[in-house]
Amino acid sequence: MITQIRGRLVEKNPTDVVVDCSGVGYLLHISLNTYAALPEGENVVLYTHLSVREDAHTLFGFISKTERAIFKFLISVSGVGPSIARTMLSSMTSEEIQQAIASENVAVIQSVKGIGAKTAQRVIVDLKDKIVKTFDIDEVSLSPSNTNKGEALSALEVLGFQRKQSDKLVAAIVKEYPDATIEQIIKLALKSL
C-alpha cells in the first residue's frame, strides 16, 4: 500500500523515526542499521512495509530496498513476525543475513534474540533458494569459508568459549581473511578472546 516515504526527518530514535510529509508525521519502526545510516533532521527517503494486524497497523521503514526485501522474506516464514525480523535486521546487516541463510549457518541465525533452533532451521529451509536466486549469490564461494568458520567455532566451543561471543569474532576474521585455514582462524580468535 505505502511503498516509500520522502520527507523531513523530525524525530530519530534507535527503534523508530517520524518523517514529516507535507505536514503529516509518519511514525516508522526501523532497524538499528537504518538508524545508523540516517542523517539528522534532513530530507530522507525510506522504503516501507505496512504490517496489518487485527489490533494494529504498523509502518516499518528501511534505508534500502534490499533491507526491505530481506524483511519481507523473513516475515513470510512461519514463526517469524515483524518484531523478530526487525531484531534480526538490527543484529546483522542485510548482507550478513543473506550469507547466513545461503550458507545454511543455523548458529548465526539462532544467535538473534527470539529465534530458536527450529525457527532458524525453518528460515533456512524456506528462504535459502529465494535468497540465492533473488540476490544472485554464488554458492561455490560460500562453501570453503563457511566450513572453516563452522569448524573453527566448534573448536573454540570445545576450548570453553561461548558460541555467541566467538561467533561474531570468527565472522569478522573470515570476512577479513577469506582464505584463512581453520588453524589460522582459531589462532587469530584466541588472540582476541
Side-chain angles (χ1 to χ4, degrees), residues 15-58:
T15 56
D16 55 63
V17 293
V18 175
V19 177
D20 182 323
C21 299
S22 304
V24 178
Y26 289 92
L27 174 70
L28 294 105
H29 296 269
I30 58 168
S31 70
L32 288 175
N33 289 320
T34 295
Y35 173 77
L38 286 173
E40 286 290 339
E42 292 180 26
N43 285 336
V44 293
V45 174
L46 287 173
Y47 301 97
T48 62
H49 174 78
L50 180 62
S51 173
V52 179
R53 289 193 340 235
E54 252 179 55
D55 58 342
H57 290 232
T58 311

Side-chain angles (χ1 to χ4, degrees), residues 19-186:
V19 177
D20 182 323
C21 299
S22 304
V24 178
Y26 289 92
L27 174 70
L28 294 105
H29 296 269
I30 58 168
S31 70
L32 288 175
N33 289 320
T34 295
Y35 173 77
L38 286 173
E40 286 290 339
E42 292 180 26
N43 285 336
V44 293
V45 174
L46 287 173
Y47 301 97
T48 62
H49 174 78
L50 180 62
S51 173
V52 179
R53 289 193 340 235
E54 252 179 55
D55 58 342
H57 290 232
T58 311
L59 198 56
F60 291 90
F62 308 95
I63 198 70
S64 69
K65 288 182 179 180
T66 302
E67 188 181 29
R68 179 177 64 183
I70 296 288
F71 179 84
K72 286 181 175 183
F73 279 139
L74 290 171
I75 62 173
S76 73
V77 176
S78 175
V80 178
S83 61
I84 289 177
R86 181 173 67 158
T87 302
M88 198 167 181
L89 283 164
S90 293
S91 305
M92 299 184 270
T93 65
S94 302
E95 290 72 26
E96 288 169 340
I97 294 171
Q98 290 171 34
Q99 291 295 326
I101 293 170
S103 61
E104 298 182 25
N105 195 334
V106 176
V108 170
I109 296 167
Q110 196 177 338
S111 70
V112 175
K113 187 176 184 257
I115 295 185
K118 284 185 179 179
T119 305
Q121 289 167 345
R122 194 177 306 123
V123 165
I124 289 169
V125 168
D126 289 1
L127 299 182
K128 182 179 179 193
D129 292 340
K130 292 178 186 174
I131 294 284
V132 169
K133 187 177 175 185
T134 305
F135 299 104
D136 198 27
I137 296 172
D138 182 13
E139 289 187 72
V140 177
S141 66
L142 295 171
S143 304
S145 63
N146 182 44
T147 306
N148 290 353
K149 181 182 172 191
E151 289 187 34
L153 279 172
S154 297
L156 289 169
E157 223 171 347
V158 169
L159 292 172
F161 295 99
Q162 289 182 351
R163 183 115 185 158
K164 284 186 177 180
Q165 180 187 7
S166 51
D167 191 39
K168 285 187 178 177
L169 180 62
V170 170
I173 292 168
V174 169
K175 193 174 186 178
E176 192 173 338
Y177 307 101
D179 298 328
T181 65
I182 298 164
E183 294 79 15
Q184 291 169 328
I185 295 170
I186 294 169

